[in-house]
Amino acid sequence: MLPIVAIIGRPNVGKSALVNRLCGEQDAIVFDQPGVTRDRTYRRAFWQDREFQVVDTGGLVFDDETEFLPLIREQAEAALSESVVAIFVVDGKLGLTAGDEEIASWLRSQPVPVVLAVNKCESETQGLTLAAEFWNLGLGEPFPISAIHGNGTGDLLEKVTEYVPSMDEWEEVEETKVAIVGRPNVGKSSLLNALTGEKRAIVSPISGTTRDAIDMVVERDGKTYRLIDTAGIRRKKNVDYGTEFFSINRAFKAIKRADVVLFVIDVLDGVTEQDLKLAGRIIDEGKAAVIVVNKWDAVEKDTHTIYEYQKIIGDRLYFMEWADRVFTSAMTGKRVDKILDLIDTAAEGHQKRVSTSVINEVIEDAVRWHSPPTSRQGKQGKIYYGTQVTSKPPTIALFVNDPKRFNDSYRRYMEKQFRQQLGFHGTPLKLLWRGKSLREGEKMGSSNRATKV
C-alpha cells in the first residue's frame, strides 16, 4: 500500500476541493453544502519523486447529538491511524473559529504530524495576512493556499512530502476492480464492511448515507481486489440537482471503470423496476456481474424457500441468467465469503479469449445439432465461420450469408452453445452477425448487425 496522507477539517472548508487539486482529477464531490463527504475516500497522488494516497474525510464537528457526526469523526480517526501525515484544512476567509481550535487541540493529542493549510486564499498578497491568525493554533507554519486555483499547493506539498517515504520504484499490483451498486438502502455499505472485515463505510437506515464512491483494497490468496462502494441509485425523476445528482454520477462512473459489478438486491423488496434499469445499465456497459441478494437473514425459511426465491428472481432477471446469484446477509456475514470466489469466476469469463479454430468447432457442432432457420422462400441461413474480436466483454463476430435469416431464437441458441462449451460465465456475451457475399471471390457484404445477449 502507498503511504497515506489524511485531509482533516471542519465542514465546508474545501477538503474535497483540495483532494481534487492534489490528485489532478475531479473525483471527490464538491458542493456548497456542509456534510457532503461522510465516509473516508482514497485517491492516488504524487509530488516529484513521492507517491502517496490522499484520504478525504467528512467535516469534523464534536457534537454527538447530531446525526452522522459521531460516525464521521470515527471515520476521520480511522484515517489518521493509518496515515503518515495529516493536512488540517481551515478557511482563511472565515478566519479562526472555535471549531478549528477544538480540532487543533484534538490533533495535538494524535501521534501523526500535522501540516496546516489555510484555504480560500486566492489573493497571493493577502494570503499571508489571512494565514497569520492561524499561528495561534500552535501547529506550526500555516500555508496559505487556494484549492480551486492551485495557489500555494506546491509549497504545501513540499512540506507534506517531508513525511512521505521516497519510492524509487513502485511495482504496480494487478487488481480486479469491483463496483458495488444497487438502489438506496439495500445494504451496499454493510456488504463492503463485511468483505473488508472493518467498519470502512458508514451504515445507517437512512437512504442516501453513502455519497462518494468509496475505494477499498482487499487481498486474498495473493489476489488484490479494489472494492468500490457507491451511492444508492434512485429513479432519475426523483433526483434533484445537488449532492445526490453528483453521487449517482460517481456511481455510474464506478460501473464504467469496474471489471465486475456486485449488483445488490434487497430480498424483502424483490426485483423492482429500478433494479431492472440498473441491470440494463450493467449490460449496456458490458460488465461482468454477480447478483447479491441481500438481507437473507430477514426471510422466514424452510427447505424450499431458496428455490422459490431463485425462480422469482430468475424470472425477473431472465436477461441476466448468465450471472451467478448468491443469497447473503451482510449484517451476519452469511455466505459473504463466497462472493470473492464468484468475482474471480466472473472476471475470468469477462477477459477470456478463445482461438478462432475452437470458435469454429463450436459453430460446427451447434449447426449439426440444430440447423439455421429457413425462410418461406426456401432460403436457409448459413454460418461460414466465426472469430472472437475482443474481450471485456467477449465479442464474437459470426460471418453469415444474411443476418436477417437468423431469428432471435436461433441467436439465443448460438449464445447458449458458446457459453456451455467455452465457459463464458458471469459476463455478457456480444455476438456480431455480419453478412458475407460468396460472389466476387468471397467478398464481404456491408451488413453489420449486432445483438447483445
Side-chain angles (χ1 to χ4, degrees):
M1 295 290 292
L2 289 169
I4 294 173
V5 176
I7 308 293
I8 304 291
R10 292 185 297 102
N12 220 33
V13 294
K15 297 184 298 300
S16 295
L18 180 59
V19 170
N20 288 340
R21 171 62 58 182
L22 298 184
C23 300
E25 51 190 17
Q26 300 296 312
D27 276 350
I29 297 176
V30 177
F31 195 67
D32 189 16
Q33 173 183 312
V36 170
T37 303
R38 291 173 175 173
D39 301 284
R40 62 189 197 271
T41 61
Y42 294 75
R43 305 284 184 264
R44 198 164 181 165
F46 68 91
W47 179 253
Q48 296 180 352
D49 64 338
R50 311 297 166 102
E51 193 168 6
F52 52 93
Q53 287 190 94
V54 176
V55 53
D56 191 10
T57 63
L60 277 176
V61 177
F62 290 85
D63 177 5
D64 291 341
E65 301 299 324
T66 306
E67 184 68 45
F68 293 122
L69 293 180
L71 299 175
I72 290 172
R73 189 167 69 248
E74 186 177 308
Q75 291 291 311
E77 289 172 346
L80 276 180
S81 69
E82 60 188 6
S83 300
V84 296
V85 62
I87 300 176
F88 177 25
V89 185
V90 295
D91 187 332
K93 284 187 177 179
L94 189 61
L96 183 61
T97 68
D100 294 327
E101 292 175 341
E102 196 169 12
I103 295 172
S105 176
W106 175 69
L107 286 173
R108 283 195 294 270
S109 67
Q110 305 296 318
V112 181
V114 178
V115 177
L116 183 57
V118 184
N119 192 29
K120 304 183 184 179
C121 294
E122 279 72 27
S123 169
E124 295 184 14
T125 56
Q126 295 182 5
L128 291 173
T129 303
L130 294 174
E133 181 182 11
F134 292 91
W135 281 98
N136 295 323
L137 291 176
L139 293 174
E141 179 184 358
F143 289 85
I145 67 165
S146 169
I148 297 297
H149 298 98
N151 301 345
T153 52
D155 293 336
L156 176 69
L157 283 169
E158 288 289 347
K159 183 63 178 179
V160 167
T161 52
E162 290 180 8
Y163 303 98
V164 177
S166 175
M167 309 181 90
D168 296 329
E169 292 184 9
W170 180 257
E171 184 179 350
E172 288 286 345
V173 177
E174 185 176 346
E175 60 185 22
T176 303
K177 297 182 180 66
V178 183
I180 306 174
V181 305
R183 293 181 297 107
N185 222 30
V186 295
K188 299 182 297 299
S189 295
S190 296
L191 183 61
L192 176 68
N193 291 341
L195 288 168
T196 59
E198 62 173 281
K199 195 171 181 180
R200 176 64 182 79
I202 294 175
V203 176
S204 167
I206 299 174
S207 297
T209 299
T210 302
R211 289 172 167 177
D212 266 304
I214 305 167
D215 285 29
M216 182 67 181
V217 175
V218 174
E219 294 183 4
R220 191 193 69 166
D221 299 333
K223 296 180 180 179
T224 303
Y225 307 86
R226 180 172 294 275
L227 305 177
I228 312 164
D229 187 19
T230 64
I233 302 173
R234 297 196 298 160
R235 292 183 179 181
K236 187 175 181 180
K237 69 177 183 179
N238 295 330
V239 177
D240 295 326
Y241 182 82
T243 303
E244 186 179 8
F245 173 83
F246 294 113
S247 298
I248 290 175
N249 279 344
R250 295 293 190 275
F252 287 153
K253 287 182 179 180
I255 294 175
K256 190 179 290 289
R257 68 183 171 108
D259 300 306
V260 180
V261 174
L262 292 185
F263 180 27
V264 186
I265 294 172
D266 187 333
V267 70
L268 301 177
D269 295 338
V271 181
T272 67
E273 289 300 315
Q274 181 66 1
D275 288 324
L276 295 177
K277 291 180 180 179
L278 285 175
R281 180 87 181 210
I282 294 167
I283 294 172
D284 289 343
E285 294 289 353
K287 300 301 180 180
V290 176
I291 300 172
V292 180
V293 187
N294 194 29
K295 305 185 182 180
W296 188 237
D297 58 308
V299 175
E300 293 185 10
K301 296 175 279 291
D302 57 31
T303 55
H304 303 288
T305 305
I306 194 166
Y307 302 106
E308 294 170 356
Y309 275 88
Q310 283 277 20
K311 184 178 187 309
I312 292 170
I313 292 171
D315 288 345
R316 289 284 282 168
L317 290 173
Y318 65 91
F319 52 90
M320 282 188 77
E321 62 181 0
W322 44 264
D324 277 318
R325 292 192 291 271
V326 57
F327 289 75
T328 68
S329 168
M331 296 300 292
T332 66
K334 187 176 182 65
R335 297 196 186 94
V336 170
D337 58 332
K338 294 184 178 181
I339 293 177
L340 291 180
D341 292 329
L342 297 178
I343 289 171
D344 289 340
T345 301
E348 181 180 350
H350 195 233
Q351 61 191 6
K352 189 181 182 90
R353 294 198 69 99
V354 180
S355 67
T356 298
S357 60
V358 173
I359 293 284
N360 286 291
E361 287 177 11
V362 174
I363 294 173
E364 186 177 345
D365 288 341
V367 171
R368 185 182 297 118
W369 284 101
H370 183 8
S371 298
T374 302
S375 69
R376 293 180 179 178
Q377 293 76 27
K379 296 180 180 180
Q380 186 179 36
K382 293 182 181 180
I383 303 177
Y384 299 123
Y385 66 93
T387 185
Q388 183 176 352
V389 293
T390 188
S391 59
K392 296 184 179 181
T395 303
I396 297 173
L398 297 173
F399 294 90
V400 301
N401 56 346
D402 185 354
K404 295 179 181 179
R405 295 179 188 174
F406 296 85
N407 55 30
D408 290 341
S409 175
Y410 198 82
R411 292 177 185 224
R412 287 193 297 270
Y413 166 73
M414 289 302 302
E415 182 246 348
K416 185 176 181 180
Q417 295 303 306
F418 285 128
R419 287 193 183 280
Q420 289 180 344
Q421 299 191 47
L422 301 180
F424 290 118
H425 195 70
T427 178
L429 178 60
K430 188 176 180 181
L431 301 184
L432 303 175
W433 296 81
R434 296 186 172 177
K436 180 180 179 184
S437 173
L438 292 181
R439 302 190 193 103
E440 299 177 7
E442 301 281 317
K443 182 180 179 182
M444 287 187 190
S446 59
S447 179
N448 187 22
R449 184 179 177 187
T451 303
K452 268 187 183 175
V453 290

